[in-house]
Amino acid sequence: MQETGRNLIAGEWVSGISEVENRNPSDLSDVVGVFAQASADQLHDTLTAAARAQTEWAAYGMERKQGVLMAIGTELMARAEELGTLLSREEGKPLAEGKGEVFRAGQFFTYYAAECLRQLGENADSVREGVEIDVRREPVGTVAIISPWNFPTATASWKIAPALCYGNAVVWKPANITPASAVALSEIINRQDIPKGLFSLVMGSGRDIGQQLVESPMVNAISFTGSVPVGKGIASAAIQNLTKVQMEMGSKNALAVMDDADLDLAVTLALGGAFGGTGQKCTASSRLVVHEAVHDAFVEKLVAGTQAMKVGHALQEGTQMGPVVSQQQLDENLAYAALGQSEGAELACGGVRLEMPHEGFYMSPGVFLNTTNDMRINREEMFAPLTSVIKVGSYDEALSVVNDTNFGLTSGIVTTSLARATHFRRNARTGVVTVNLPTAGTDYHVPFGGRGDSSYGPREQGKAAAEFYTTVKTAYISAGPV
Ligand code: NDP
């Protein structure tokens, strides 16, 4: 009999109003665990405790806060193998990606541990004689964190670490499909020297407990990563209470391959960018915009590389691409494979359900050819191991196709021309731009976020995170006569 994964409410691990079973998408006979669903009363209790604990935490000395974040980060990195295995088991990404994600999550905490000591304000003279001004940042209060399943540990960590660093309380609603990783991270955080109730875990469905969380006037700020419709709904709920919001909502990223590109590099970048994480990344290369002079040679290598990819159980040695996360995601992906063909695209390979020794949500990676940028497969985020090739006649046309999207998270160019690389870097309308690098894969010490439908509110990560997790106070001081 498995122990139920419980919620962390006001500093105590408690059972919920119901339970959900979590199964391994690589092997549906493998039950990862059973997880409690939080109730509305528990949410209220934990928000009340969070407000109290936040005041206490904000008063901790900076080295004490730093020690807490450093301990969380160090433990995550030390346990990357174990927790990465758990993550891959419940989410379906290959083990190397699971371990890498947990290690990276640890780095978010160690980075923000150091930031605890780097919170400098500004000072200035007033326009009034004898008056000085001190500008400093203070915590926003209680932050609701709503995270997705595709990076269950890293996305949560890049939100939780700065939230704690800047003195806030955290109430975390993880995706209900990846609760085991959430419980594991919460156990590590809760074991530290923090006030009781500073950090809470409330598991349950987004429509239910998630919606109650974002509608609560006890929440001062909401950081969300997920889909555009849910993000818009959260923003509408937040505005009713004038709650601060920050949202990251996916994209339709393009990788432009120029006629002067190193084609082997371009294919490697395209394969990694399109099929890493089974294509379930907001930074995935889902549009490959290829110059006609190298189109045929690129396509030949791309299709061969795609067909050679080893799809299998996430924990099996040699697996390059795991299953997709759920039956719903698989159904949507297969529907997109059919849609593309009905729109006139040629599915050169893949895009079909795969039977494996274990029952799971497997499909083959697919490449669409002869596509145009107005097709739905090139406009909607599919979150699938499917990518499209769009043939263009010039660099100018490539840039215009890259920018012709409602999204704007990442874009990349593969070129040996410094002039084109420079022009692209300056004119691609995305929050992140890469040159001869994948569209996916970013650093933690610099801003992350996009434009258009991809993001809303202040940037995440690096020092930029302070904008969201703090509020500014301007103090005027008149010392009076000596
Ligand atoms: P959602 O946007 O539904 O879920 C993201 C998070 O929001 C989850 O924790 C979810 O909880 C929660 N949530 C859902 N509804 C509400 C609500 N009304 N109020 C508060 N929280 C809520 O994404 P899905 O997981 O359903 O994925 C659907 C699509 O979204 C994908 O196919 C992909 O296109 C996109 N997506 C983009 C991501 C990105 O990185 N930008 C990440 C994930 C998805 P729960 O899951 O428990 O219901």
Side-chain angles (χ1 to χ4, degrees):
M1 181 78 181
Q2 269 179 320
E3 206 183 309
T4 301
R6 290 177 297 170
N7 290 296
L8 182 59
I9 302 296
E12 304 284 349
W13 291 100
V14 301
S15 305
I17 40 167
S18 59
E19 293 178 346
V20 292
E21 197 179 64
N22 179 23
R23 286 180 184 259
N24 179 347
S26 297
D27 176 1
L28 297 177
S29 69
D30 176 22
V31 178
V32 180
V34 175
F35 295 87
Q37 307 288 281
S39 69
D41 287 346
Q42 289 171 341
L43 179 62
H44 183 268
D45 290 350
T46 217
L47 283 166
T48 306
R52 263 198 315 269
Q54 189 273 322
T55 310
E56 209 184 314
W57 172 246
Y60 270 36
M62 56 171 84
E63 283 186 333
R64 197 169 165 197
K65 287 202 201 83
Q66 184 212 22
V68 168
L69 270 76
M70 190 59 86
I72 298 167
T74 307
E75 181 165 345
L76 280 168
M77 290 191 276
R79 293 174 61 195
E81 171 95 33
E82 171 210 343
L83 299 179
T85 304
L86 178 67
L87 194 164
S88 290
R89 189 174 154 216
E90 79 168 345
E91 199 271 349
K93 62 181 66 177
L95 191 50
E97 292 182 31
K99 287 193 278 194
E101 177 175 341
V102 173
F103 194 84
R104 173 50 62 99
Q107 291 174 313
F108 282 111
F109 280 95
T110 55
Y111 171 78
Y112 282 104
E115 284 304 297
C116 289
L117 302 178
R118 294 197 191 110
Q119 293 177 40
L120 305 179
E122 289 172 48
N123 54 55
D125 287 337
S126 167
V127 294
R128 288 165 279 177
E129 268 180 39
V131 174
E132 290 184 353
I133 299 174
D134 167 84
V135 182
R136 61 174 64 217
R137 290 182 177 271
E138 296 188 351
V140 279
T142 297
V143 181
I145 287 175
I146 300 184
S147 58
W149 45 263
N150 60 331
F151 283 94
T153 307
T155 304
S157 296
W158 81 55
K159 297 172 188 295
I160 296 168
L164 295 179
C165 165
Y166 296 113
N168 302 287
V170 169
V171 178
W172 178 25
K173 209 299 288 171
N176 224 16
I177 210 167
T178 49
S181 298
V183 170
L185 176 58
S186 300
E187 280 171 356
I188 295 173
I189 296 172
N190 191 51
R191 248 190 286 111
Q192 309 305 324
D193 165 29
I194 56 172
K196 194 170 172 179
L198 180 79
F199 175 83
S200 322
L201 173 68
V202 287
M203 293 181 285
S205 91
R207 277 193 310 276
D208 182 11
I209 203 75
Q211 188 68 31
Q212 291 168 34
L213 177 60
V214 298
E215 285 177 0
S216 172
M218 297 165 86
V219 169
N220 304 108
I222 303 166
S223 183
F224 165 82
T225 299
S227 62
V228 175
V230 171
K232 286 183 176 172
I234 289 176
S236 305
I239 200 71
Q240 303 310 315
N241 299 317
L242 299 179
T243 305
K244 206 170 176 182
V245 281
Q246 168 188 69
M247 297 190 295
E248 203 274 285
M249 298 167 290
S251 194
K252 198 69 199 165
N253 313 295
L255 179 72
V257 179
M258 289 297 93
D259 49 345
D260 55 21
D262 172 337
L263 276 199
D264 288 330
L265 172 67
V267 171
T268 302
L269 298 179
L271 289 172
F275 306 128
T278 320
Q280 303 167 136
K281 288 186 186 179
C282 50
T283 51
S285 313
S286 57
R287 294 182 296 148
L288 304 173
V289 181
V290 184
H291 195 289
E292 61 188 7
V294 291
H295 175 272
D296 293 355
F298 173 82
V299 161
E300 193 182 325
K301 285 172 188 266
L302 177 74
V303 171
T306 304
Q307 287 172 324
M309 282 195 82
K310 190 166 169 356
V311 181
H313 192 299
L315 302 182
Q316 210 167 302
E317 178 102 16
T319 291
Q320 291 174 304
M321 193 183 98
V324 303
V325 75
S326 65
Q327 183 68 52
Q328 186 189 331
Q329 195 67 47
L330 181 61
D331 292 344
E332 285 173 19
N333 296 355
L334 297 174
Y336 270 118
L339 173 72
Q341 293 173 88
S342 73
E343 288 183 301
E346 175 198 343
L347 189 57
C349 63
V352 295
R353 174 133 210 195
L354 292 177
E355 295 304 325
M356 292 280 171
H358 314 283
E359 195 193 340
F361 307 124
Y362 295 101
M363 68 178 284
S364 49
V367 176
F368 285 117
L369 303 179
N370 302 325
T371 78
T372 53
N373 201 44
D374 57 357
M375 290 177 176
R376 277 180 60 197
I377 53 165
N378 286 330
R379 304 214 73 84
E380 298 171 15
E381 181 177 52
M382 296 190 280
F383 236 51
L386 295 170
T387 191
S388 297
V389 176
I390 304 169
K391 197 198 281 190
V392 291
S394 66
Y395 164 77
D396 288 341
E397 191 188 347
L399 178 63
S400 126
V401 168
V402 167
N403 285 337
D404 179 13
T405 172
N406 294 334
F407 294 101
L409 186 56
T410 75
S411 59
I413 188 167
V414 194
T415 181
T416 49
S417 155
L418 177 63
R420 282 174 173 173
T422 305
H423 188 271
F424 187 84
R425 197 155 56 78
R426 288 176 174 238
N427 292 283
R429 290 198 287 269
T430 50
V432 176
V433 59
T434 66
V435 176
N436 295 324
L437 286 167
T439 59
T442 54
D443 286 2
Y444 47 86
H445 63 302
V446 285
F448 175 70
R451 303 182 189 182
D453 283 357
S454 290
S455 298
Y456 182 76
R459 289 284 187 263
E460 301 199 73
Q461 305 182 24
K463 285 185 188 300
E467 189 57 37
F468 178 70
Y469 291 102
T470 63
T471 181
V472 172
K473 179 179 279 175
T474 310
Y476 294 87
I477 309 112
S478 170
V482 182

